[in-house]
Amino acid sequence: EAEEQLRQTLALDPLDWWARDLADDPMRCDARTHLDIAMEYAGAGFLDDALRVVERAVPLAAAEQWRGTEPMTHYYRAALLDGLGRTGDAAAARRAAAAADVTYCFPHGLDDERVLRAALAADPADARATGLLGHWRYAARRYGEAIELWRQAVDADPADAVCWRNLGVASHNIAGDSDEAMRCFDQAVLAAPGDGRLLYERDQLARRVGAPPSVRLAQLQQRPDLVEHRDDLTVEMAGLLAQVGNPAAALELLRGRDFQPWEGGEGQVLGVWERVHLILARGALRGGAATRAEQLLRAALDPPANLGEGPHLLANRADLMLVLGDALAAQGRQAEATQAWTDAATFVGDFQEMSPQPYSEKTLFSAQAWHRLGEDDRAGALLTGLAGYAQELAATEATVDYFATSLPTLLLFTDDLQGRRELTVRFLNAQAAAGAGRLDEALSSLEAVLARDPNHAAAHDLLLELRAGSSDLDGPRQDVTMKAATP
């Protein structure tokens, strides 16, 4: 009767590996499937068969390093050996688990949790099992237990970079202790100094807690070898170079790398590319090099293939077109300048954070383009609309859009969404004040924004322009008798 049931089972599903093992067919499945089948045997009371299957999984797991199964195969084996009364062999299996490559090992499912608890019951000093059980508990949202387990793990093994890193994430996201989070990330980087991802994550934490750009840049410059191997680190370094006043070095960095798009990094490379060119173009204009400014702006508007991305069709590029018009006007090419200003003035809305926005920090430049064209009423209407939009934002609770789950600020460290909204409101109000000529109010607001977020690129750039007294706000103005191109 059993053989008939087995035949029918295999007829229904020839890839039922437990049924194939019962039929004495060779098991050609991966190590993880072996562990699942072993637990089926163990649950039915067949510990010897379970051990036989797990022991087949051990060499498979060693050959599948990228799957991260090897440590768990040894812990499964240890649990079964303990169940069979072979405590000496079980202890040897746990030692093998501690020595196995833990890269990519992420325990999941109740069977994994049980064998890890069994390992700690047999040897409470097992740092590897402690850390892995911490991973399991955190994924199950049992955060307090996970944090305690990770602390025990790093006490027993201070070289465990993963547990230090996870403690850093939990300290910030769960405990709200940014100082402890930074301390844990520093320990993680010390434990794995060649891990570029840890360097990137520590930098993102530093950005989140308001570390000055110069401090962040100095830390990245200590490891150019790691920066060279990561797109995200390269983009961050380029942005920081621009922030501390070295846009030429930032441009060289961006030109020398072929970037690949990554989730959460949408628009980052292009954003830094445009910012760097805009800073350099404004500087060229102030120095009387209008032709050079035009070249820089056209390069910004037509990004090279090595950036790996291009502008969204709805992206607002009014800032680039405005300054391009200024560069053309400085060369006496008035008709072309008028067209560039018109293009800047007639941008409608923007596309940011994976969704269209009616107003953005680019709206100011559209207003200034209308000012250049002698259309002060239109400029004033845009600035009024910008201020009104800021008021709407201030009165609306900040939430995460369903389609915005891959935004950079949401990928690792939790963010104060309402605080970020308040910062945006203050910056937009600063722009509206600057556009209306209330420069003292604008300067005060921008300084407040940067006091709260020293890494706010747009606030930094606008503040520098206002302080220099040569911002886009007081650029060349077309003779009001000239008709602006119809939008």
Side-chain angles (χ1 to χ4, degrees), residues 214-454:
S214 58
V215 172
R216 293 175 55 210
L217 178 61
Q219 290 182 331
L220 295 187
Q221 287 176 327
Q222 292 175 5
R223 294 305 305 267
D225 55 324
L226 299 184
V227 174
E228 181 183 356
H229 284 89
R230 291 188 67 93
D231 286 353
D232 46 17
L233 278 174
T234 302
V235 172
E236 290 298 331
M237 178 173 276
L240 290 168
L241 285 167
Q243 193 91 348
V244 301
N246 195 354
L251 180 56
E252 182 180 357
L253 196 61
L254 294 173
R255 282 175 171 170
R257 183 181 187 85
D258 289 331
F259 293 89
Q260 303 295 326
W262 73 95
E263 185 175 11
E266 299 90 346
Q268 288 192 39
V269 184
L270 186 63
V272 176
W273 173 264
E274 292 181 352
R275 180 192 181 196
V276 166
H277 281 79
L278 197 55
I279 292 172
L280 291 170
R282 285 167 170 159
L285 271 177
R286 284 194 294 269
T291 301
R292 174 59 179 158
E294 180 191 353
Q295 292 171 347
L296 287 163
L297 291 162
R298 295 200 185 280
L301 289 163
D302 186 19
N306 75 289
L307 300 187
E309 61 181 353
H312 193 279
L313 292 176
L314 298 179
N316 190 319
R317 312 181 88 189
D319 49 350
L320 298 174
M321 297 305 300
L322 174 72
V323 184
L324 176 61
D326 295 350
L328 293 167
Q331 298 175 62
R333 295 154 63 183
Q334 195 63 45
E336 294 174 75
T338 297
Q339 183 58 58
W341 289 333
T342 302
D343 290 341
T346 53
F347 270 107
V348 177
D350 202 353
F351 187 85
Q352 295 186 348
E353 297 191 348
M354 305 302 291
S355 62
Q357 310 289 337
Y359 295 90
S360 75
E361 70 274 7
K362 302 294 183 72
T363 303
L364 171 64
F365 305 105
S366 292
Q368 292 309 308
W370 281 125
H371 176 72
R372 301 282 201 279
L373 294 167
E375 299 279 356
D376 289 346
D377 288 344
R378 291 189 175 187
L382 267 185
L383 293 173
T384 300
L386 180 63
Y389 177 65
Q391 289 180 348
E392 289 179 18
L393 287 180
T396 306
E397 182 180 357
T399 58
V400 179
D401 184 83
Y402 178 80
F403 293 103
T405 54
S406 71
L407 297 180
T409 55
L410 304 176
L411 289 178
L412 181 61
F413 299 107
T414 56
D415 196 8
D416 178 3
L417 294 179
Q418 196 60 39
R420 184 66 51 185
R421 169 68 60 84
E422 293 168 2
L423 205 63
T424 299
V425 168
R426 175 162 281 187
F427 177 67
L428 294 178
N429 281 328
Q431 284 192 311
R438 304 192 306 274
L439 297 187
D440 288 342
E441 178 186 339
L443 289 170
S444 176
S445 294
L446 290 171
E447 289 167 353
V449 169
L450 288 168
R452 186 165 175 178
D453 180 7

